Amino acid sequence: MVHQDQGKLVQVVAANVGLVAPPSGYMLSEENRPTTVAQQAKLVIPIVDVSRLAMPDDVEEAAKLRSALQSWGLFVVTGHGMSKEFLNEILEATRKFFHLPLEEKQKCGNFQNEGYRIDRIDSDEQILDWCDRLWLQLQPEDERRLQFWPHNLYRRSYIICRDLLHEYTLESGRVTMNVLKAMAKLLNREEGFFINMVGERFKSYSRFTYYPPCPRPDLVNGLKPHTDNSVITLILMDKDVGGLHVLKDGHWDVPVLGNDMLVVVGEGMEIVSNAIFKAPWHRVVTSANKERLSLAMFYQPEPERIIGPPGVLVHEKRPAMFKNYLVQTLGDGYWDAFAAGDRTVDFLNVRINAEADTELEGRAVVANN
């Protein structure tokens, strides 16, 4: 039976006076609730200075990147060149958007995977996440659907506007390209190795996410466990409220985060690196009395490209781990996989060598190939 609140924007549900527990459409089974997971450790995830990665002789920073990718599949990025004031402006703009009246936010529309929306509902039994989202395609620039962008508001009043988001798109894209170059160098490849696989007309999307306070955060997912449908994801975290959990060594670890920017390996990178770099499982939990914000930037290859493990990364000791697959098909399948709580490569049967992959788990996977 569909709960009467299922399908409503979560912010509307959370604003219900007297709400003492989330509606049934959001309630996790007992074994999947955050508090039933093994004891969580508060760990500081690795920090990498992206400006130093560009220096050819900075072996120390390259080693930090290698260690971060081996141990976590993500890292805090510094040296990105964006000021705290600029990043705070982005977050405040996001907050102001989600605090607008509902009818103003709904002007951003809901078309396919863009606009102001909640989870796609595939079945009556689907457990929904406790968050609302604003999805926007940013690149290529000539494919932007500006009718979905908050457009009648101004930068200095701290509402998302086109100039502010365009500037952030350029800055975060620059960081992403530098990270891709550094990852290629770790494999002793020329720095354009992964960038060439992405293509000149790569896609980038922004996901502004709002997590309202929840009266029983122990019963819901803010954002369900998942891996990212991207080559690289860049996440701007809430500067005041944590909530990101990362599955590491069989346990959900809680990184200590402040006003941090994260780089996260996506499944696309896992495919084109032949599983040398792996996409980490992560989720978000909610707070009982504080709202939380984040902005994720997803970078994906050109949709008409076919990607797979490149020949130079396939050999006797490391056979091909995935089939070649059309990027558009991977993107379309992601939403079905996400709703099912599965990885896209498993949901679409893209993986072809799971046993070999498991055998290689204990090895130093980021090596000089």
Side-chain angles (χ1 to χ4, degrees):
M1 176 180 177
V2 179
H3 191 280
Q4 62 180 356
D5 283 325
Q6 193 170 20
K8 290 184 179 179
L9 290 156
V10 180
Q11 200 170 357
V12 174
V13 176
N16 184 15
V17 177
L19 184 70
V20 295
S24 60
Y26 303 89
M27 297 270 282
L28 296 167
S29 58
E30 185 173 354
E31 66 273 15
N32 290 327
R33 294 173 184 171
T35 52
T36 64
V37 179
Q39 183 66 34
Q40 299 156 346
K42 292 186 179 294
L43 302 175
V44 178
I45 64 178
I47 300 174
V48 178
D49 186 335
V50 70
S51 67
R52 292 179 57 182
L53 292 177
M55 300 178 184
D57 299 324
D58 199 328
V59 178
E60 179 182 353
E61 209 64 24
K64 289 182 182 179
L65 176 63
R66 180 182 294 110
S67 175
L69 294 170
Q70 283 183 295
S71 59
W72 287 87
L74 52 77
F75 56 89
V76 172
V77 58
T78 62
H80 45 65
M82 288 178 268
S83 68
K84 285 190 176 181
E85 292 76 15
F86 176 64
L87 298 180
N88 286 339
E89 186 174 9
I90 294 284
L91 289 173
E92 285 306 310
T94 304
R95 191 183 311 277
K96 289 291 182 74
F97 170 78
F98 284 108
H99 285 185
L100 287 172
L102 179 61
E103 59 272 18
E104 285 295 315
K105 289 179 288 192
Q106 288 178 325
K107 289 178 181 178
C108 292
N110 185 353
F111 174 75
Q112 294 181 354
N113 293 325
E114 284 198 70
Y116 176 58
R117 57 194 294 264
I118 57 168
D119 275 338
R120 190 185 77 183
I121 302 176
D122 290 340
S123 70
D124 293 351
E125 294 77 28
Q126 182 176 335
I127 305 300
L128 301 179
D129 294 336
W130 193 261
C131 66
D132 294 333
R133 308 178 182 99
L134 173 64
W135 282 92
L136 300 173
Q137 181 177 336
L138 303 176
Q139 291 169 299
E141 286 186 36
D142 59 7
E143 293 184 6
R144 291 176 178 175
R145 296 184 177 93
L146 295 176
Q147 66 268 34
F148 300 136
W149 290 41
H151 59 278
N152 58 343
L153 305 159
Y154 298 92
R155 175 172 180 167
R156 292 308 167 191
S157 60
Y158 294 106
I159 304 294
I160 306 167
C161 82
R162 294 177 186 179
D163 289 344
L164 179 62
L165 187 51
H166 178 72
E167 184 179 352
Y168 186 70
T169 300
L170 296 179
E171 290 296 320
S172 61
R174 177 181 52 78
V175 172
T176 298
M177 293 301 111
N178 287 338
V179 170
L180 289 176
K181 291 176 183 178
M183 293 173 75
K185 288 164 62 177
L186 287 181
L187 304 183
N188 281 343
R189 303 298 161 192
E190 51 90 18
E191 64 178 17
F193 183 69
F194 290 123
I195 293 175
N196 292 337
M197 293 184 190
V198 172
E200 292 183 1
R201 289 183 61 81
F202 63 89
K203 299 264 189 179
S204 71
Y205 294 87
S206 60
R207 185 189 69 204
F208 300 84
T209 308
Y210 179 80
Y211 304 91
C214 180
R216 290 292 306 275
D218 57 314
L219 301 180
V220 304
N221 277 321
L223 189 60
K224 67 175 63 66
H226 65 285
T227 51
D228 286 346
N229 175 36
S230 64
V231 172
I232 288 292
T233 304
L234 193 65
I235 306 178
L236 179 59
M237 309 297 295
D238 194 303
K239 62 187 179 68
D240 299 314
V241 183
L244 176 72
H245 289 187
V246 181
L247 187 62
K248 182 177 183 295
D249 301 328
H251 301 284
W252 286 104
D253 290 320
V254 187
V256 178
L257 299 172
N259 189 11
D260 291 328
M261 183 176 289
L262 296 182
V263 168
V264 183
V265 172
E267 286 193 50
M269 174 57 74
E270 188 165 337
I271 292 172
V272 298
S273 71
N274 199 25
I276 291 176
F277 303 120
K278 295 189 177 182
W281 281 94
H282 51 290
R283 68 181 183 186
V284 176
V285 297
T286 62
S287 170
N289 50 27
K290 294 182 179 180
E291 64 184 10
R292 183 179 184 273
L293 306 163
S294 67
L295 169 54
M297 305 284 282
F298 302 92
Y299 293 85
Q300 301 171 348
E302 295 170 338
E304 66 276 8
R305 288 194 171 223
I306 294 176
I307 62 171
V312 293
L313 299 182
V314 176
H315 44 75
E316 182 179 354
K317 294 183 178 180
R318 191 172 198 90
M321 304 294 178
F322 305 100
K323 306 172 188 175
N324 292 335
Y325 233 79
L326 181 68
V327 171
Q328 183 65 60
T329 304
L330 290 169
D332 293 342
Y334 174 78
W335 298 104
D336 295 324
F338 179 78
D342 204 354
R343 288 164 49 91
T344 309
V345 293
D346 296 323
F347 189 85
L348 296 180
N349 295 314
V350 181
R351 190 192 302 275
I352 60 175
N353 232 317
E355 291 184 4
D357 195 18
T358 301
E359 183 180 336
L360 289 166
E361 279 287 342
R363 302 182 187 179
V365 295
V366 184
N368 295 333
N369 287 286

